[in-house]
Amino acid sequence: MSLDRRKFLKFAMVTSSSLAAGSLSRASTGNESETALEHVGCLVDTTLCIGCRQCEKACNDRNQLPRPTESFTTKTVFRNERRHTEASFTVVNEFPGPPSPDQLQKKNTYVKFQCMHCLDPACVSGCITGALTKSRDGAVVYNPTVCIGCRYCLYACPFQVPDYEYDDPLTPRVRKCEYCTDLARGTGANPACAAACPTEAIVFGKREELLEMAHARIRQRPERYLDHIYGEHEIGGTGWLYLTGRPVTEVGMLKLPETSGPRLTENIQHTIFRYGAIPFGFYGALGALMWFNHRKERLNKEAGTEAAHHEDEGGSHGPSRD
Ligand code: SF4
Ligand code: SF4
Ligand code: SF4
C-alpha cells in the first residue's frame, strides 16, 4: 500500500469518526423538542434583596447539603466575593453602593447567584453521556448514574456554575442548583429559596409571566430600574432573570452575548454535517484526482529518468565517430 493511500484511508476514518461524533453530540443535546413546554423561572429583584441569606439556608436544608462552618446569620462572609460550591448551590454577595439611584439610604447591593437554567444550556450540550438534561419545564437536571466525571460541563458553562465533588474519591458528582426539582416542577410550589425570601426578592413562576412582570416594574419605576432584564436575551435566554438598578457588571454579573454557545457550534456543525455530503463528495473526488495526477507525474518522471539513463549509457559506451 502506498503512503498516499494510507493517508487517504486515515483521512476517511477521521472524517467518519467526526461524523459519528457530530451525530452523537446532537443526539445527546436533544433540546429542541423538550423546550416546547412553558419554561419556569425565577425573577430576582436586586433592589429588594437585603442580604439576609435566608435563601442560602433554605437551599442548604432543602438539598441536605453539609452545614457551613460559619452560620447563615453572619455577615462576615460578605468580606470576600463568594462563588457557589458543591456544598452550597446558591450564594449571596455584597457589592458596595446602593442598589438603585432612588435607594441612596442603602449602603450596599446584594445579589444571589446560582445555576441560571439556560434555555439553551451549554452544560447539556457539552455533556457527552447525557448526564445533564433539560427537562420539559426548563430545569437543567443531573443524573449521576450516567456521569463519567469528564467535567466537560464545568468548562462549557458560560456562568462557571457546575461544581464537582473533588473530595469524594469514590462517587464524585457534579453539583448545582436543580430548581429543587420535584418540589418546584409540576406542583406550582416555590423553590425553597423563593419560599424563604422575606422581601419577595425572588419570585418563581412561568418565565413569560415573569418577563411581563419585570417589564411592568421597569415601566412603573423608571427611576429605580435599568431598562434591562438580565437573562432575557443573554446567552439565548435563561430561566433566572434579574432586575437591577445599576449596571450588571458592577454587581458580579458577566456581560455575555445573546447567542448561546450550543446554538453557535450547532449551526456550524449542522452546516457541515447536514449538508456535508456535497462538500465531502467534492473533497473526496478532488483528493482522488490529486492522487491520480500525482501518480501519473511520478510515473512520467520515472519513465523520463530511465530514458535519459539509457541515452547516457548509449553515449558513453558506443563507438566514437572521430
Ligand atoms: S448556568 Fe451553566 S450549569 Fe446552569 S444551565 Fe446554564 S450552562 Fe448549565
Ligand atoms: S431553586 Fe432550589 S436548588 Fe436552586 S438555589 Fe433555590 S433552593 Fe437552591
Ligand atoms: S432571602 Fe431574599 S432578601 Fe434574603 S438574601 Fe436571599 S434573596 Fe436576598
Side-chain angles (χ1 to χ4, degrees):
M1 188 184 287
S2 77
L3 184 66
D4 286 350
R5 278 178 67 193
R6 275 204 300 272
K7 274 185 182 167
F8 183 79
L9 286 176
K10 192 175 165 191
F11 167 73
M13 279 168 66
V14 169
T15 311
S16 315
S17 310
S18 302
L19 280 164
S23 309
L24 181 65
S25 169
R26 284 200 306 282
S28 67
T29 305
N31 284 335
E32 286 162 25
S33 61
E34 291 195 354
T35 48
L37 277 191
E38 268 194 295
H39 203 296
V40 295
C42 281
L43 175 64
V44 179
D45 187 334
T46 58
T47 70
L48 298 178
C49 180
I50 53 173
C52 67
R53 301 181 61 212
Q54 286 301 306
C55 49
E56 289 185 24
K57 181 178 181 306
C59 182
N60 183 285
D61 291 343
R62 170 70 181 83
N63 293 290
Q64 299 171 339
L65 298 172
R67 284 274 151 189
T69 44
E70 289 179 287
S71 103
F72 285 109
T73 53
T74 181
K75 299 290 166 76
T76 54
V77 293
F78 290 141
R79 281 186 197 139
N80 299 309
E81 193 172 329
R82 298 173 297 153
R83 74 179 303 280
H84 31 70
T85 67
E86 66 279 11
S88 56
F89 299 166
T90 186
V91 289
V92 179
N93 279 322
E94 181 185 84
F95 301 91
S100 63
D102 72 330
Q103 293 178 307
L104 297 179
Q105 75 283 7
K106 293 186 179 176
K107 287 200 176 72
N108 298 306
T109 306
Y110 298 95
V111 184
K112 173 191 187 298
F113 297 96
Q114 69 297 301
C115 168
M116 297 288 282
H117 294 275
C118 305
L119 270 56
D120 196 4
C123 60
V124 172
S125 187
C127 180
I128 55 174
T129 64
L132 281 158
T133 51
K134 187 153 181 72
S135 309
R136 290 165 64 77
D137 58 8
V140 175
V141 294
Y142 171 68
N143 178 358
T145 61
V146 291
C147 176
I148 56 169
C150 67
R151 304 187 297 283
Y152 285 167
C153 53
L154 274 66
Y155 308 116
C157 172
F159 298 99
Q160 301 169 358
V161 163
D163 290 295
Y164 192 66
E165 293 177 325
Y166 288 101
D167 291 341
D168 184 340
L170 296 179
T171 54
R173 290 167 297 174
V174 169
R175 308 303 316 265
K176 69 175 200 71
C177 157
E178 294 192 40
Y179 255 143
C180 302
T181 313
D182 28 326
L183 179 67
R185 292 157 54 211
T187 65
N190 275 326
C193 55
C197 180
T199 64
E200 297 185 4
I202 312 165
V203 180
F204 172 72
K206 292 188 175 142
R207 184 174 184 271
E208 285 308 308
E209 291 171 7
L210 294 174
L211 279 171
E212 277 173 31
M213 182 189 291
H215 281 294
R217 285 192 198 179
I218 292 170
R219 269 196 311 277
Q220 287 155 13
R221 313 260 329 242
E223 75 286 3
R224 169 159 295 192
Y225 300 108
L226 293 184
D227 188 9
H228 175 210
I229 303 164
Y230 190 77
E232 181 172 16
H233 301 298
E234 274 78 9
I235 220 83
T238 57
W240 282 74
L241 303 162
Y242 287 77
L243 271 174
T244 62
R246 53 193 288 199
V248 290
T249 47
E250 287 182 9
V251 290
M253 294 178 194
L254 299 168
K255 192 170 165 55
L256 292 167
E258 291 193 359
T259 309
S260 70
R263 193 56 51 219
L264 190 67
T265 52
E266 276 173 22
N267 281 345
I268 296 168
Q269 198 184 54
H270 286 186
T271 308
I272 294 170
F273 293 113
R274 188 172 296 167
Y275 308 108
I278 297 167
F280 188 61
F282 173 73
Y283 286 122
L286 199 64
L289 193 67
M290 284 169 70
W291 186 79
F292 279 116
N293 277 345
H294 181 70
R295 186 167 175 269
K296 198 172 154 193
E297 255 177 43
R298 186 164 47 84
L299 288 175
N300 284 345
K301 205 182 278 176
E302 280 171 11
T305 313
E306 209 170 309
H309 185 66
H310 283 313
E311 246 175 54
D312 283 354
E313 275 183 345
S316 57
H317 298 295
S320 169
R321 287 177 192 265
D322 297 331

